[in-house]
């Protein structure tokens, strides 16, 4: 029980990585706020968690709505008595090459993927500072925050900024015992990456992943658990890559001399 007595506020908690993280955190003793604009998904997960004896609350809000975020954080604190962990996972996509990308799509992605990550972190930090017991903020970045993702330029740009935002938060809030870290997952099977169901895409991705498989949401949830728990009490301003080795494997793809044989 690594999170006994702690409360986690998880945006994008209704699906994929956020939902798996919520389940793991509850198994480890935390209370969780499931924050997701998909009310049906958030309510269903909270139903499942509470039926299993866990403590969970549903907040079917849009994370770009500042007032709604602030009251969800206050309500979470009121309901569970503490706020210790934030996981920022909410995302929407805005596919398209930069040359064709509509301004409205660019702004909508930056709004959810970066701006809301800033606002949720800021409002949570105010509460944590008042509470005086520190905290852990975990921001979902991506491999795409480390390398440009053609056709997803707004996403890559937001995810790169999320890494810097996490470092900035970490350094500014360290004096309050608040840690902030980013996670950079590679390709993980979730509703967001339904294309991984295509056998050809799947086999192609597996072939270029050094550890030989597509990730599952639990791979990322376990990293989030490490960053949320006291096991990582001296880890802050870090970007944890969880990707089966793919982002570091560029030399596997360069033609020409291989030194190994
Ligand atoms: N799946 C992957 O391969 C992968 C890889 C790298 C990074 N990530 C990151 O991990 C995080 C979770 O991804 P996932 O694959 O679990 O996605 P997902 O699509 O399964 O879940 C995202 C959730 O965010 C919610 N959401 C979207 N916009 C929202 C808004 N404005 N307000 C509130 N909720 C909103 C959606 O309703 C959805 O439930 C994202 O930040 C994503 O960029 C995922």
């Amino acid at each position: 029980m690594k999170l006994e007595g702690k409360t986690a506020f998880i945006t994008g908690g209704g699906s994929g990585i956020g939902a798996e993280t919520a389940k793991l955190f509850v198994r480890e003793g935390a209370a969780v706020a499931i924050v997701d604009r998909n009310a049906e998904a958030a309510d269903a997960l909270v139903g499942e968690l509470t039926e299993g004896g866990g403590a969970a609350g549903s907040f079917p809000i849009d994370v770009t709505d500042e007032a709604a975020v602030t009251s969800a954080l206050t309500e979470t604190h009121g309901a569970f008595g503490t706020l210790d962990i934030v996981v920022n996972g909410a995302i929407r996509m805005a596919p398209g090459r930069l040359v064709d990308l509509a301004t409205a799509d660019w702004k909508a992605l930056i709004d959810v993927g970066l701006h809301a990550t800033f606002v949720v972190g800021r409002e949570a930090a105010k509460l944590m500072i008042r509470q005086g017991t520190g905290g852990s903020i975990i921001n979902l970045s991506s491999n795409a925050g480390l390398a440009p993702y053609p056709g997803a330029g707004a996403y890559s740009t937001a995810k790169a900024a999320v890494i810097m935002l996490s470092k900035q938060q970490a350094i500014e809030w360290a004096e309050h015992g608040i840690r902030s870290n980013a996670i950079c997952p590679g390709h993980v099977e979730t509703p967001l990456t339904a294309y991984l169901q295509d056998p050809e895409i799947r086999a192609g991705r597996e072939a270029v992943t050094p550890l030989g498989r597509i990730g599952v949401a639990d791979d990322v949830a376990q990293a989030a658990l490490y960053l949320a728990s006291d096991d990582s009490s001296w880890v802050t301003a870090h970007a944890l890559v969880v990707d089966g080795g793919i982002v570091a494997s560029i030399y596997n793809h360069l033609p020409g001399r291989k030194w190994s044989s």
Side-chain angles (χ1 to χ4, degrees):
M1 290 293 222
K2 288 178 186 274
L3 302 180
E4 188 91 70
K6 302 205 181 213
T7 302
F9 188 86
I10 305 178
T11 81
S15 174
I17 291 168
E20 206 58 38
T21 300
K23 290 179 195 168
L24 179 60
F25 282 13
V26 166
R27 288 202 297 277
E28 291 292 339
V32 292
I34 304 299
V35 184
D36 203 300
R37 71 172 174 187
N38 182 339
E40 211 178 308
D43 290 351
L45 179 58
V46 167
E48 183 187 324
L49 293 171
T50 49
E51 266 169 40
S58 173
F59 295 90
I61 62 163
D62 189 317
V63 289
T64 63
D65 178 344
E66 276 199 43
V69 162
T70 308
S71 50
L73 279 162
T74 309
E75 268 186 61
T76 298
H77 190 264
F80 302 117
T82 173
L83 177 73
D84 312 283
I85 302 155
V86 169
V87 178
N88 271 304
I91 197 64
R92 56 150 286 164
M93 296 307 281
R97 299 255 161 192
L98 290 180
V99 74
D100 301 316
L101 191 63
T103 307
D105 289 336
W106 165 271
K107 281 189 171 166
L109 193 147
I110 299 293
D111 234 25
V112 179
L114 178 58
H115 182 73
T117 303
F118 158 65
V119 171
V120 170
R122 182 190 67 198
E123 296 308 308
K126 284 180 190 167
L127 258 172
M128 288 170 175
I129 290 167
R130 278 205 297 278
Q131 190 175 275
T133 51
S136 173
I137 297 176
I138 299 159
N139 296 319
L140 264 305
S141 176
S142 170
N143 271 187
L146 301 168
Y149 188 171
Y155 180 75
S156 259
T157 304
K159 292 301 185 183
V162 160
I163 294 173
M164 184 51 72
L165 175 65
S166 308
K167 294 184 183 192
Q168 189 77 25
Q169 291 174 337
I171 300 312
E172 290 199 14
W173 300 337
E175 63 180 300
H176 302 291
I178 299 171
R179 300 181 294 108
S180 179
N181 295 283
I183 300 180
C184 300
H187 38 227
V188 175
E189 224 178 319
T190 70
L192 186 72
T193 52
Y195 56 84
L196 293 173
Q197 303 299 328
D198 178 324
E200 208 176 311
I201 296 178
R202 194 179 181 84
R205 294 280 182 112
E206 284 168 353
V208 296
T209 304
L211 286 178
R213 68 170 172 87
I214 304 293
V216 293
D218 186 59
D219 291 319
V220 183
Q222 295 292 345
L225 173 61
Y226 168 68
L227 292 173
S229 76
D230 292 342
D231 286 353
S232 61
S233 62
W234 214 46
V235 178
T236 197
H238 185 62
L240 179 55
V241 179
V242 181
D243 72 343
I246 199 162
V247 92
S249 67
I250 189 167
Y251 276 92
N252 284 358
H253 307 289
L254 297 187
R257 181 158 52 193
K258 299 275 188 255
W259 292 94
S260 54
S261 56

